[in-house]
Amino acid sequence: MLDYDLLELPNGIRVLHKQVPHTKIAHCGFLLDIGSRDERPEQQGLAHFWEHMAFKGTERRKSFHILNRLETVGGELNAYTTKEKICFYASLLSTHFERAFELLTDLTFHSVFPEKEIEKERGVILEEMSMYLDAPDDAIIDDFDEVIFGQHALGHNILGTRQSVSSFQQADFRQFLSENVRTDRLVFSSVSNLPFKEVKRLAEKYLAPLPAQLGDRPRTSFAGYQRRELLERKPITQAHCLIGGPAYAIDDDRRIPFFLLNNVLGGPGMNSRLNLGVREKFGLVYAIDSTYSPYTDTGMFGIYFGTEKKQVNRTIGLVQKELKRLRKKPLGGLQLHTAKEQLMGQLAMAEESNGGLMQLLAKSTLDLNRVEPITEIFDRVRTITATELLDMANDVLREDNLSVLQYVPE
């Protein structure tokens, strides 16, 4: 069982800590159950913009002091935004752990969103948008979200639109935080060599005085998926393609088995069926993979590849051939055993990363209200049957469930 400590403060904030005696580095951060799907249509991009603005000034610090606070002791400070989460996190020598704890608390709860900084950061985000547009392998992923989820908030680009980003003012950030921050829906997580009593002391010093912000913050569930096929001509030299559709939610019992099925089809291993059947056998692509992203009420499955324009249809045909194999022929006993061993090995290596472990503790707590021990996940993986995988392949990977988006050279 995963050995960790949990403290729940009176204001609802949960603090998780895993002590790792052999390390000198502390990894810590806040994970908030807020993401781009929580934005109203006119707020598109606001969650991500907030992530940027948190570094631009607090009640105690200007941007310069924020950026130097951890850098001067060799630490790293960063953040990210997803469809359902915002994270502010840091890594540094554990001797400076309190410095990171206090700074992260300051960024998360005491940002002031200076008007001048909003104007500057607006330009930075618009340049970030341009950077993604110049990278078709990134841009197609964002566009494919809209293909699958349409006008639902899950279909919106995390960066927002040029129009929305250009309109945000200080009041918009304050309103968004007021509407979405819930102290019982955020977690502080840490992994270091420090004893839990030290983490608890700092939590009571910096987090306990924060006022409770409780109450429902409902999310609109996704429904009404319709399969689509789109082709867009772009000023590019290589064609890019995404094939996919809706999949299983985080709390679905089929989540772990579908991760295994996805791993067999197009996971990170070079022995995935897509890599062997398209790249290694025919040399049609440099990269081809499949991904599965579960959300609280739905999920998304997608296959991505890039190839020459004249090879797109042939490559799609090979992809469909591999999907049909999974739908028609169950994995043999040795194939299933090998697939399970491969997935368990990948999961074990991922947990070896203390930074990744810190994130896992927080995300699992917010999504499942508990931390899944890796031994429990292994036990579930071992029970997966070939029939179970066949049923999921015929549910998610059937042709009438999969949309297609192509970028082709003009």
Side-chain angles (χ1 to χ4, degrees):
M1 300 293 285
L2 184 63
D3 183 22
Y4 70 97
D5 293 287
L6 170 65
L7 168 69
E8 184 168 342
L9 297 168
N11 56 18
I13 296 176
R14 284 169 286 181
V15 178
L16 295 100
H17 178 66
K18 167 72 175 176
Q19 186 176 15
V20 180
H22 64 264
T23 186
K24 292 182 173 63
I25 303 299
H27 303 276
C28 59
F30 285 99
L31 189 67
L32 299 92
D33 194 35
I34 304 170
S36 60
R37 73 169 300 174
D38 299 306
E39 300 162 346
R40 297 194 302 274
E42 70 276 11
Q43 294 177 323
Q44 289 182 47
L46 193 52
H48 172 258
F49 206 144
W50 168 33
E51 172 219 314
H52 278 239
M53 286 304 302
F55 295 83
K56 300 304 173 183
T58 69
E59 295 168 5
R60 296 185 54 197
R61 294 179 171 94
K62 294 187 181 297
S63 176
F64 174 82
H65 302 111
I66 292 171
L67 298 179
N68 274 279
R69 181 66 177 159
L70 302 188
E71 295 284 347
T72 53
V73 293
E76 297 178 355
L77 178 66
N78 214 330
Y80 64 80
T81 304
T82 69
K83 299 287 185 180
E84 297 189 330
K85 300 288 185 288
I86 294 177
C87 184
F88 302 105
Y89 63 101
S91 300
L92 77 175
L93 284 169
S94 55
T95 50
H96 300 295
F97 180 74
E98 182 170 2
R99 182 181 288 232
F101 199 135
E102 185 276 329
L103 179 64
L104 288 167
T105 303
D106 199 26
L107 297 181
T108 306
F109 298 100
H110 303 296
S111 292
V112 293
F113 312 109
E115 291 284 7
K116 289 184 179 179
E117 295 292 342
I118 291 173
E119 291 306 316
K120 286 193 289 186
E121 206 61 25
R122 198 190 313 278
V124 170
I125 293 174
L126 292 174
E127 288 302 320
E128 187 177 359
M129 287 181 180
S130 298
M131 180 181 71
Y132 276 94
L133 289 173
D134 282 345
D137 53 333
D138 288 326
I140 196 171
I141 294 171
D142 289 332
D143 285 351
F144 196 65
D145 288 341
E146 185 175 351
V147 171
I148 301 301
F149 297 115
Q151 293 306 304
H152 187 274
L154 284 170
H156 296 161
N157 192 316
I158 290 171
L159 298 180
T161 67
R162 288 188 171 272
Q163 181 179 2
S164 64
V165 168
S166 298
S167 70
F168 297 142
Q169 302 298 325
Q170 189 180 72
D172 297 309
F173 294 96
R174 291 175 173 166
Q175 181 179 2
F176 184 74
L177 268 64
S178 174
E179 292 172 347
N180 289 284
V181 174
R182 297 291 181 268
T183 47
D184 57 344
R185 296 300 303 158
L186 62 90
V187 169
F188 180 84
S189 176
S190 67
V191 174
S192 73
N193 61 1
L194 297 171
F196 181 59
K197 65 179 182 180
E198 174 63 9
V199 179
K200 182 180 178 182
R201 179 185 72 83
L202 296 175
E204 290 172 344
K205 178 179 178 180
Y206 295 113
L207 300 183
L210 296 170
Q213 292 176 259
L214 308 173
D216 292 334
R217 200 275 321 268
R219 281 174 167 160
T220 303
S221 296
F222 171 70
Y225 169 70
Q226 293 184 328
R227 180 183 180 275
R228 302 170 67 194
E229 288 197 24
L230 297 174
L231 185 149
E232 298 184 16
R233 302 193 182 278
K234 302 278 186 178
I236 52 180
T237 56
Q238 183 188 42
H240 300 262
C241 183
L242 249 165
I243 303 169
Y248 306 118
I250 287 169
D251 61 354
D252 195 301
D253 290 339
R254 296 166 291 184
R255 172 176 57 96
I256 292 174
F258 193 71
F259 266 117
L260 177 63
L261 183 66
N262 178 73
N263 215 47
V264 170
L265 176 64
M270 295 182 68
N271 63 340
S272 74
R273 290 192 174 188
L274 289 175
N275 194 64
L276 292 176
V278 180
R279 173 178 164 150
E280 296 301 320
K281 191 172 182 178
F282 296 102
L284 296 177
V285 300
Y286 173 72
I288 183 167
D289 55 57
S290 61
T291 58
Y292 165 44
S293 302
Y295 301 118
T296 53
D297 58 320
T298 185
M300 191 173 82
F301 163 78
I303 298 168
Y304 163 80
F305 66 83
T307 189
E308 285 187 80
K309 180 180 179 181
K310 64 182 181 181
Q311 300 290 2
V312 172
N313 290 336
R314 184 185 179 196
T315 306
I316 290 176
L318 291 171
V319 169
Q320 294 290 4
K321 179 181 176 182
E322 295 300 333
L323 294 175
K324 187 175 182 180
R325 281 180 65 201
L326 287 174
R327 295 196 303 267
K328 299 298 182 184
K329 186 178 180 181
L331 268 63
L334 180 59
Q335 289 175 319
L336 182 59
H337 173 76
T338 301
K340 291 178 180 180
E341 291 295 319
Q342 182 174 12
L343 180 60
M344 288 189 291
Q346 291 170 351
L347 291 171
M349 285 192 286
E351 197 172 274
E352 282 289 297
S353 162
N354 288 338
L357 179 58
M358 179 271 291
Q359 301 264 356
L360 181 149
L361 290 171
K363 191 173 189 302
S364 185
T365 299
L366 287 180
D367 288 339
L368 303 172
N369 210 32
R370 67 187 188 92
V371 176
E372 287 181 301
I374 196 167
T375 51
E376 183 180 311
I377 297 173
F378 283 4
D379 288 343
R380 179 65 181 102
V381 170
R382 292 188 184 102
T383 67
I384 296 171
T385 66
T387 301
E388 200 174 358
L389 297 180
L390 191 68
D391 289 343
M392 287 189 299
N394 280 282
D395 181 26
V396 178
L397 308 185
R398 65 182 195 274
E399 285 194 44
D400 64 354
N401 188 55
L402 301 180
S403 294
V404 181
L405 173 61
Q406 295 182 49
Y407 283 179
V408 297
E410 292 176 341

